[in-house]
Amino acid sequence: MRRRKLVFFDRDKEHIAEAIRILRTNLYFTESKDRKVVLVTSSIPKEGKSTIAANYALSVAISGEKVILVDCDIRRPRVVDSFGIKANYGLEEVLRGKKNLEDVILHNVERNLDLLPATSFGENVTELFLGKKIVEILDGLKEKYNLIVLDTPPLTVATDAALLSTYADGVVYVVGYDMVFKKELLSGKKLLEKAGANIYGVVVNKVSINGYSMGNYGHYSSNYKYYDEYKKR
Ligand SMILES: Nc1ncnc2c1ncn2[C@@H]1O[C@H](COP(=O)(O)OP(=O)(O)O)[C@@H](O)[C@H]1O
Ligand SMILES: [Mg+2]
């Protein structure tokens, strides 16, 4: 049997499952007719983007809508991991025209939930999100799915998320509790605003029940360091 690592719904983590349901409900009301492409990002690594993206996608799939979760974090792919499955090809190959979309999509990883994984640790991937191909891919997905969730790299590591936000209907900004400086948050927000993104809202993640941070996550002092740390993982 497949082992799911990030998915909280069948675990003893009812408070997290409940928080994700609240997010689903809030987005349901916020998004009106435009709830097609929702991008999830944050300021720095490990704030919980992939966790929130996977669980949000799953919670909407459970409600009966057809959902696809797209791993746009080609530098540090995570989506297949979350569901304990393997993928041979992913988004990068489709963007480079080496594979067809349908050849890489993993169907029904959960009921109503498909995955478009990323597999390679590509360099110079930002340029891939600039071309016509990504628009083509998203247009194709919009025909088939009620919701497309984009899991992206952090804003301080690459411009990918800001770039991709121009194709999204809205952005969920994840903030790891006690993990980021105010100036990092503001600069992330500024990047998104500059791109014209519609920020649906902020999810404060990793808040323990007693209100303290759940983990011991250090701050780094420069973007360069973020990227260094990021690539090591
Ligand atoms: N709400 C949460 N509760 C417990 N663990 C979490 C939570 N959110 C994230 N994590 C854990 O923190 C780590 C980083 O999360 P991840 O979603 O990969 O972050 P990101 O995609 O922002 O880099 C993972 O090990 C994940 O399981
Ligand atoms: Mg991630």
Side-chain angles (χ1 to χ4, degrees):
M1 217 179 113
R2 284 194 280 116
R3 197 165 60 91
R4 290 185 299 182
K5 282 197 238 157
L6 289 179
V7 177
F8 293 125
F9 281 89
D10 54 358
R11 290 226 191 143
D12 189 24
K13 290 192 170 164
E14 192 45 41
H15 56 285
I16 297 176
E18 185 52 29
I20 295 286
R21 276 185 220 111
I22 292 169
L23 173 66
R24 179 182 64 189
T25 308
N26 283 345
L27 289 184
Y28 184 83
F29 288 119
T30 315
E31 293 153 6
S32 66
K33 285 184 256 82
D34 292 332
R35 189 175 58 99
K36 264 286 187 195
V37 184
V38 174
L39 181 143
V40 180
T41 195
S42 76
S43 318
I44 63 170
K46 294 214 163 179
E47 290 186 86
K49 292 173 290 301
S50 298
T51 308
I52 300 292
N55 282 282
Y56 169 58
L58 181 63
S59 83
V60 177
I62 285 170
S63 79
E65 297 198 64
K66 193 88 185 108
V67 182
I68 187 161
L69 173 61
V70 183
D71 196 344
C72 300
D73 195 350
I74 292 172
R75 292 175 181 80
R76 190 176 158 240
R78 182 50 62 97
V79 159
V80 281
D81 265 19
S82 310
F83 291 87
I85 45 178
K86 291 220 178 307
N88 295 323
Y89 302 103
L91 180 61
E92 187 177 352
E93 285 79 10
V94 184
L95 287 168
R96 291 192 194 279
K98 291 184 185 159
K99 287 276 163 198
N100 292 322
L101 192 55
E102 277 307 313
D103 297 335
V104 301
I105 289 179
L106 303 167
H107 291 278
N108 284 312
V109 292
E110 297 288 334
R111 193 162 175 205
N112 293 324
L113 179 65
D114 292 357
L115 298 183
L116 175 45
T119 52
S120 30
F121 294 79
E123 295 288 333
N124 302 324
V125 292
T126 303
E127 70 201 36
L128 292 174
F129 295 127
L130 280 166
K132 268 196 298 205
K133 195 79 191 164
I134 183 71
V135 180
E136 234 177 83
I137 292 172
L138 291 173
D139 283 347
L141 295 178
K142 283 184 209 170
E143 302 279 307
K144 293 188 183 140
Y145 297 91
N146 302 113
L147 174 68
I148 301 155
V149 180
L150 307 180
D151 183 13
T152 67
L155 289 156
T156 51
V157 165
T159 50
D160 304 12
L163 233 166
L164 284 164
S165 75
T166 61
Y167 314 124
D169 296 300
V171 173
V172 172
Y173 200 143
V174 177
V175 180
Y177 183 80
D178 207 19
M179 286 179 72
V180 277
F181 293 112
K182 190 175 166 190
K183 68 171 195 286
E184 294 165 331
L185 249 176
L186 291 176
S187 90
K189 183 170 164 263
K190 215 161 144 191
L191 274 170
L192 289 173
E193 280 168 357
K194 221 165 132 194
N198 173 21
I199 303 176
Y200 283 146
V202 169
V203 171
V204 182
N205 190 34
K206 299 194 174 187
V207 183
S208 75
I209 294 169
N210 61 15
Y212 295 103
S213 171
M214 287 176 61
N216 186 18
Y217 296 90
H219 293 295
Y220 305 107
S221 57
S222 72
N223 287 357
Y224 178 74
K225 256 188 169 169
Y226 291 144
Y227 192 55
D228 240 27
E229 288 294 319
Y230 188 66
K231 299 251 297 186
K232 268 189 242 155
R233 264 177 260 123

PDB file of all heavy atoms in Angstrom, residues 78-103:
ATOM      1  N   ARG A  78       8.274  17.996  -4.608  1.00  0.00           N
ATOM      2  CA  ARG A  78       7.816  17.466  -3.343  1.00  0.00           C
ATOM      3  C   ARG A  78       6.463  16.748  -3.448  1.00  0.00           C
ATOM      4  O   ARG A  78       6.128  15.893  -2.646  1.00  0.00           O
ATOM      5  CB  ARG A  78       7.716  18.632  -2.346  1.00  0.00           C
ATOM      6  CG  ARG A  78       7.305  18.295  -0.943  1.00  0.00           C
ATOM      7  CD  ARG A  78       8.108  17.157  -0.359  1.00  0.00           C
ATOM      8  NE  ARG A  78       9.508  17.447  -0.258  1.00  0.00           N
ATOM      9  CZ  ARG A  78      10.106  17.881   0.855  1.00  0.00           C
ATOM     10  NH1 ARG A  78       9.418  18.097   1.934  1.00  0.00           N
ATOM     11  NH2 ARG A  78      11.408  18.090   0.865  1.00  0.00           N
ATOM     12  N   VAL A  79       5.731  17.118  -4.505  1.00  0.00           N
ATOM     13  CA  VAL A  79       4.349  16.664  -4.565  1.00  0.00           C
ATOM     14  C   VAL A  79       4.218  15.138  -4.575  1.00  0.00           C
ATOM     15  O   VAL A  79       3.407  14.576  -3.854  1.00  0.00           O
ATOM     16  CB  VAL A  79       3.633  17.299  -5.789  1.00  0.00           C
ATOM     17  CG1 VAL A  79       2.409  16.516  -6.192  1.00  0.00           C
ATOM     18  CG2 VAL A  79       3.256  18.736  -5.454  1.00  0.00           C
ATOM     19  N   VAL A  80       5.040  14.455  -5.358  1.00  0.00           N
ATOM     20  CA  VAL A  80       4.897  12.990  -5.396  1.00  0.00           C
ATOM     21  C   VAL A  80       5.247  12.382  -4.037  1.00  0.00           C
ATOM     22  O   VAL A  80       4.621  11.421  -3.596  1.00  0.00           O
ATOM     23  CB  VAL A  80       5.719  12.306  -6.522  1.00  0.00           C
ATOM     24  CG1 VAL A  80       5.027  12.435  -7.849  1.00  0.00           C
ATOM     25  CG2 VAL A  80       7.130  12.819  -6.583  1.00  0.00           C
ATOM     26  N   ASP A  81       6.243  12.965  -3.392  1.00  0.00           N
ATOM     27  CA  ASP A  81       6.620  12.535  -2.042  1.00  0.00           C
ATOM     28  C   ASP A  81       5.441  12.561  -1.084  1.00  0.00           C
ATOM     29  O   ASP A  81       5.256  11.665  -0.282  1.00  0.00           O
ATOM     30  CB  ASP A  81       7.630  13.540  -1.452  1.00  0.00           C
ATOM     31  CG  ASP A  81       9.045  13.077  -1.663  1.00  0.00           C
ATOM     32  OD1 ASP A  81       9.238  12.219  -2.552  1.00  0.00           O
ATOM     33  OD2 ASP A  81       9.931  13.593  -0.954  1.00  0.00           O
ATOM     34  N   SER A  82       4.684  13.651  -1.189  1.00  0.00           N
ATOM     35  CA  SER A  82       3.564  13.832  -0.269  1.00  0.00           C
ATOM     36  C   SER A  82       2.590  12.678  -0.345  1.00  0.00           C
ATOM     37  O   SER A  82       1.918  12.358   0.620  1.00  0.00           O
ATOM     38  CB  SER A  82       2.782  15.103  -0.592  1.00  0.00           C
ATOM     39  OG  SER A  82       3.640  16.181  -0.726  1.00  0.00           O
ATOM     40  N   PHE A  83       2.498  12.093  -1.522  1.00  0.00           N
ATOM     41  CA  PHE A  83       1.525  11.022  -1.699  1.00  0.00           C
ATOM     42  C   PHE A  83       2.206   9.655  -1.747  1.00  0.00           C
ATOM     43  O   PHE A  83       1.572   8.649  -2.051  1.00  0.00           O
ATOM     44  CB  PHE A  83       0.693  11.279  -2.966  1.00  0.00           C
ATOM     45  CG  PHE A  83      -0.208  12.462  -2.785  1.00  0.00           C
ATOM     46  CD1 PHE A  83       0.239  13.742  -3.067  1.00  0.00           C
ATOM     47  CD2 PHE A  83      -1.490  12.313  -2.283  1.00  0.00           C
ATOM     48  CE1 PHE A  83      -0.569  14.846  -2.871  1.00  0.00           C
ATOM     49  CE2 PHE A  83      -2.308  13.402  -2.083  1.00  0.00           C
ATOM     50  CZ  PHE A  83      -1.850  14.679  -2.373  1.00  0.00           C
ATOM     51  N   GLY A  84       3.498   9.631  -1.461  1.00  0.00           N
ATOM     52  CA  GLY A  84       4.223   8.361  -1.380  1.00  0.00           C
ATOM     53  C   GLY A  84       4.271   7.591  -2.683  1.00  0.00           C
ATOM     54  O   GLY A  84       4.257   6.370  -2.691  1.00  0.00           O
ATOM     55  N   ILE A  85       4.322   8.324  -3.808  1.00  0.00           N
ATOM     56  CA  ILE A  85       4.404   7.626  -5.092  1.00  0.00           C
ATOM     57  C   ILE A  85       5.618   8.106  -5.878  1.00  0.00           C
ATOM     58  O   ILE A  85       6.233   9.105  -5.516  1.00  0.00           O
ATOM     59  CB  ILE A  85       3.127   7.817  -5.943  1.00  0.00           C
ATOM     60  CG1 ILE A  85       2.705   9.284  -5.928  1.00  0.00           C
ATOM     61  CG2 ILE A  85       2.011   6.934  -5.468  1.00  0.00           C
ATOM     62  CD1 ILE A  85       1.504   9.531  -6.783  1.00  0.00           C
ATOM     63  N   LYS A  86       5.907   7.400  -6.944  1.00  0.00           N
ATOM     64  CA  LYS A  86       7.069   7.768  -7.766  1.00  0.00           C
ATOM     65  C   LYS A  86       6.604   8.257  -9.130  1.00  0.00           C
ATOM     66  O   LYS A  86       5.576   7.825  -9.638  1.00  0.00           O
ATOM     67  CB  LYS A  86       7.961   6.548  -7.969  1.00  0.00           C
ATOM     68  CG  LYS A  86       8.677   6.093  -6.719  1.00  0.00           C
ATOM     69  CD  LYS A  86      10.107   5.677  -7.058  1.00  0.00           C
ATOM     70  CE  LYS A  86      10.904   5.262  -5.839  1.00  0.00           C
ATOM     71  NZ  LYS A  86      10.906   6.258  -4.767  1.00  0.00           N
ATOM     72  N   ALA A  87       7.402   9.163  -9.711  1.00  0.00           N
ATOM     73  CA  ALA A  87       7.095   9.618 -11.063  1.00  0.00           C
ATOM     74  C   ALA A  87       8.393   9.635 -11.863  1.00  0.00           C
ATOM     75  O   ALA A  87       9.448   9.986 -11.325  1.00  0.00           O
ATOM     76  CB  ALA A  87       6.502  11.015 -11.017  1.00  0.00           C
ATOM     77  N   ASN A  88       8.314   9.234 -13.122  1.00  0.00           N
ATOM     78  CA  ASN A  88       9.521   9.233 -13.953  1.00  0.00           C
ATOM     79  C   ASN A  88       9.707  10.546 -14.685  1.00  0.00           C
ATOM     80  O   ASN A  88      10.818  10.957 -14.975  1.00  0.00           O
ATOM     81  CB  ASN A  88       9.469   8.098 -14.965  1.00  0.00           C
ATOM     82  CG  ASN A  88       9.488   6.759 -14.262  1.00  0.00           C
ATOM     83  OD1 ASN A  88      10.169   6.590 -13.253  1.00  0.00           O
ATOM     84  ND2 ASN A  88       8.711   5.807 -14.770  1.00  0.00           N
ATOM     85  N   TYR A  89       8.606  11.173 -15.012  1.00  0.00           N
ATOM     86  CA  TYR A  89       8.673  12.440 -15.752  1.00  0.00           C
ATOM     87  C   TYR A  89       7.749  13.436 -15.095  1.00  0.00           C
ATOM     88  O   TYR A  89       6.846  13.073 -14.362  1.00  0.00           O
ATOM     89  CB  TYR A  89       8.256  12.226 -17.207  1.00  0.00           C
ATOM     90  CG  TYR A  89       9.111  11.213 -17.906  1.00  0.00           C
ATOM     91  CD1 TYR A  89       8.642   9.930 -18.121  1.00  0.00           C
ATOM     92  CD2 TYR A  89      10.393  11.547 -18.322  1.00  0.00           C
ATOM     93  CE1 TYR A  89       9.436   8.976 -18.752  1.00  0.00           C
ATOM     94  CE2 TYR A  89      11.200  10.611 -18.951  1.00  0.00           C
ATOM     95  CZ  TYR A  89      10.725   9.335 -19.165  1.00  0.00           C
ATOM     96  OH  TYR A  89      11.518   8.410 -19.765  1.00  0.00           O
ATOM     97  N   GLY A  90       7.990  14.714 -15.427  1.00  0.00           N
ATOM     98  CA  GLY A  90       7.150  15.720 -14.802  1.00  0.00           C
ATOM     99  C   GLY A  90       7.002  16.974 -15.638  1.00  0.00           C
ATOM    100  O   GLY A  90       7.255  16.987 -16.851  1.00  0.00           O
ATOM    101  N   LEU A  91       6.608  18.031 -14.954  1.00  0.00           N
ATOM    102  CA  LEU A  91       6.313  19.308 -15.596  1.00  0.00           C
ATOM    103  C   LEU A  91       7.462  19.819 -16.470  1.00  0.00           C
ATOM    104  O   LEU A  91       7.241  20.349 -17.561  1.00  0.00           O
ATOM    105  CB  LEU A  91       5.980  20.328 -14.504  1.00  0.00           C
ATOM    106  CG  LEU A  91       5.638  21.734 -14.948  1.00  0.00           C
ATOM    107  CD1 LEU A  91       4.397  21.745 -15.839  1.00  0.00           C
ATOM    108  CD2 LEU A  91       5.413  22.638 -13.737  1.00  0.00           C
ATOM    109  N   GLU A  92       8.684  19.651 -15.992  1.00  0.00           N
ATOM    110  CA  GLU A  92       9.816  20.184 -16.751  1.00  0.00           C
ATOM    111  C   GLU A  92       9.885  19.576 -18.156  1.00  0.00           C
ATOM    112  O   GLU A  92      10.110  20.284 -19.145  1.00  0.00           O
ATOM    113  CB  GLU A  92      11.125  19.938 -16.001  1.00  0.00           C
ATOM    114  CG  GLU A  92      12.281  20.632 -16.697  1.00  0.00           C
ATOM    115  CD  GLU A  92      13.605  20.482 -15.963  1.00  0.00           C
ATOM    116  OE1 GLU A  92      13.622  19.965 -14.836  1.00  0.00           O
ATOM    117  OE2 GLU A  92      14.619  20.881 -16.543  1.00  0.00           O
ATOM    118  N   GLU A  93       9.668  18.271 -18.236  1.00  0.00           N
ATOM    119  CA  GLU A  93       9.720  17.601 -19.548  1.00  0.00           C
ATOM    120  C   GLU A  93       8.593  18.102 -20.458  1.00  0.00           C
ATOM    121  O   GLU A  93       8.779  18.230 -21.659  1.00  0.00           O
ATOM    122  CB  GLU A  93       9.624  16.077 -19.384  1.00  0.00           C
ATOM    123  CG  GLU A  93      10.890  15.411 -18.870  1.00  0.00           C
ATOM    124  CD  GLU A  93      11.085  15.544 -17.369  1.00  0.00           C
ATOM    125  OE1 GLU A  93      10.146  15.983 -16.684  1.00  0.00           O
ATOM    126  OE2 GLU A  93      12.197  15.238 -16.890  1.00  0.00           O
ATOM    127  N   VAL A  94       7.444  18.381 -19.855  1.00  0.00           N
ATOM    128  CA  VAL A  94       6.330  18.902 -20.670  1.00  0.00           C
ATOM    129  C   VAL A  94       6.665  20.318 -21.142  1.00  0.00           C
ATOM    130  O   VAL A  94       6.471  20.666 -22.312  1.00  0.00           O
ATOM    131  CB  VAL A  94       4.990  18.903 -19.887  1.00  0.00           C
ATOM    132  CG1 VAL A  94       3.842  19.355 -20.777  1.00  0.00           C
ATOM    133  CG2 VAL A  94       4.695  17.532 -19.319  1.00  0.00           C
ATOM    134  N   LEU A  95       7.216  21.126 -20.241  1.00  0.00           N
ATOM    135  CA  LEU A  95       7.569  22.503 -20.611  1.00  0.00           C
ATOM    136  C   LEU A  95       8.644  22.535 -21.691  1.00  0.00           C
ATOM    137  O   LEU A  95       8.655  23.411 -22.549  1.00  0.00           O
ATOM    138  CB  LEU A  95       8.053  23.271 -19.374  1.00  0.00           C
ATOM    139  CG  LEU A  95       6.981  23.668 -18.359  1.00  0.00           C
ATOM    140  CD1 LEU A  95       7.609  24.143 -17.062  1.00  0.00           C
ATOM    141  CD2 LEU A  95       6.085  24.759 -18.929  1.00  0.00           C
ATOM    142  N   ARG A  96       9.531  21.576 -21.646  1.00  0.00           N
ATOM    143  CA  ARG A  96      10.593  21.516 -22.658  1.00  0.00           C
ATOM    144  C   ARG A  96      10.147  20.812 -23.936  1.00  0.00           C
ATOM    145  O   ARG A  96      10.940  20.614 -24.860  1.00  0.00           O
ATOM    146  CB  ARG A  96      11.824  20.799 -22.098  1.00  0.00           C
ATOM    147  CG  ARG A  96      12.544  21.574 -21.008  1.00  0.00           C
ATOM    148  CD  ARG A  96      13.897  20.980 -20.686  1.00  0.00           C
ATOM    149  NE  ARG A  96      14.453  21.502 -19.452  1.00  0.00           N
ATOM    150  CZ  ARG A  96      15.080  22.672 -19.328  1.00  0.00           C
ATOM    151  NH1 ARG A  96      15.235  23.452 -20.372  1.00  0.00           N
ATOM    152  NH2 ARG A  96      15.549  23.070 -18.158  1.00  0.00           N
ATOM    153  N   GLY A  97       8.898  20.368 -23.944  1.00  0.00           N
ATOM    154  CA  GLY A  97       8.349  19.724 -25.145  1.00  0.00           C
ATOM    155  C   GLY A  97       8.831  18.289 -25.336  1.00  0.00           C
ATOM    156  O   GLY A  97       8.678  17.713 -26.402  1.00  0.00           O
ATOM    157  N   LYS A  98       9.379  17.697 -24.267  1.00  0.00           N
ATOM    158  CA  LYS A  98       9.884  16.319 -24.393  1.00  0.00           C
ATOM    159  C   LYS A  98       8.808  15.275 -24.126  1.00  0.00           C
ATOM    160  O   LYS A  98       8.962  14.115 -24.488  1.00  0.00           O
ATOM    161  CB  LYS A  98      11.037  16.089 -23.408  1.00  0.00           C
ATOM    162  CG  LYS A  98      12.291  16.855 -23.762  1.00  0.00           C
ATOM    163  CD  LYS A  98      13.402  16.496 -22.792  1.00  0.00           C
ATOM    164  CE  LYS A  98      14.634  17.340 -23.056  1.00  0.00           C
ATOM    165  NZ  LYS A  98      15.498  17.388 -21.889  1.00  0.00           N
ATOM    166  N   LYS A  99       7.778  15.678 -23.421  1.00  0.00           N
ATOM    167  CA  LYS A  99       6.691  14.754 -23.091  1.00  0.00           C
ATOM    168  C   LYS A  99       5.354  15.463 -23.275  1.00  0.00           C
ATOM    169  O   LYS A  99       5.265  16.683 -23.159  1.00  0.00           O
ATOM    170  CB  LYS A  99       6.791  14.323 -21.619  1.00  0.00           C
ATOM    171  CG  LYS A  99       7.912  13.361 -21.331  1.00  0.00           C
ATOM    172  CD  LYS A  99       7.493  11.922 -21.618  1.00  0.00           C
ATOM    173  CE  LYS A  99       8.721  11.041 -21.717  1.00  0.00           C
ATOM    174  NZ  LYS A  99       8.452   9.771 -22.381  1.00  0.00           N
ATOM    175  N   ASN A 100       4.318  14.647 -23.526  1.00  0.00           N
ATOM    176  CA  ASN A 100       2.979  15.215 -23.577  1.00  0.00           C
ATOM    177  C   ASN A 100       2.405  15.266 -22.171  1.00  0.00           C
ATOM    178  O   ASN A 100       2.728  14.418 -21.335  1.00  0.00           O
ATOM    179  CB  ASN A 100       2.058  14.345 -24.427  1.00  0.00           C
ATOM    180  CG  ASN A 100       2.473  14.390 -25.878  1.00  0.00           C
ATOM    181  OD1 ASN A 100       2.877  15.445 -26.384  1.00  0.00           O
ATOM    182  ND2 ASN A 100       2.419  13.245 -26.525  1.00  0.00           N
ATOM    183  N   LEU A 101       1.537  16.235 -21.985  1.00  0.00           N
ATOM    184  CA  LEU A 101       0.907  16.416 -20.685  1.00  0.00           C
ATOM    185  C   LEU A 101       0.311  15.112 -20.163  1.00  0.00           C
ATOM    186  O   LEU A 101       0.534  14.710 -19.017  1.00  0.00           O
ATOM    187  CB  LEU A 101      -0.174  17.488 -20.838  1.00  0.00           C
ATOM    188  CG  LEU A 101      -0.798  18.074 -19.602  1.00  0.00           C
ATOM    189  CD1 LEU A 101       0.255  18.636 -18.666  1.00  0.00           C
ATOM    190  CD2 LEU A 101      -1.798  19.157 -19.981  1.00  0.00           C
ATOM    191  N   GLU A 102      -0.460  14.455 -21.012  1.00  0.00           N
ATOM    192  CA  GLU A 102      -1.166  13.249 -20.572  1.00  0.00           C
ATOM    193  C   GLU A 102      -0.223  12.109 -20.184  1.00  0.00           C
ATOM    194  O   GLU A 102      -0.579  11.228 -19.416  1.00  0.00           O
ATOM    195  CB  GLU A 102      -2.172  12.779 -21.636  1.00  0.00           C
ATOM    196  CG  GLU A 102      -3.507  13.506 -21.563  1.00  0.00           C
ATOM    197  CD  GLU A 102      -4.155  13.476 -20.160  1.00  0.00           C
ATOM    198  OE1 GLU A 102      -4.216  12.401 -19.552  1.00  0.00           O
ATOM    199  OE2 GLU A 102      -4.583  14.542 -19.676  1.00  0.00           O
ATOM    200  N   ASP A 103       0.997  12.146 -20.713  1.00  0.00           N
ATOM    201  CA  ASP A 103       1.963  11.084 -20.369  1.00  0.00           C
ATOM    202  C   ASP A 103       2.547  11.252 -18.980  1.00  0.00           C
ATOM    203  O   ASP A 103       3.113  10.315 -18.423  1.00  0.00           O
ATOM    204  CB  ASP A 103       3.128  11.061 -21.378  1.00  0.00           C
ATOM    205  CG  ASP A 103       2.648  10.743 -22.771  1.00  0.00           C
ATOM    206  OD1 ASP A 103       1.587  10.102 -22.874  1.00  0.00           O
ATOM    207  OD2 ASP A 103       3.309  11.153 -23.744  1.00  0.00           O
TER     208      ASP A 103
END
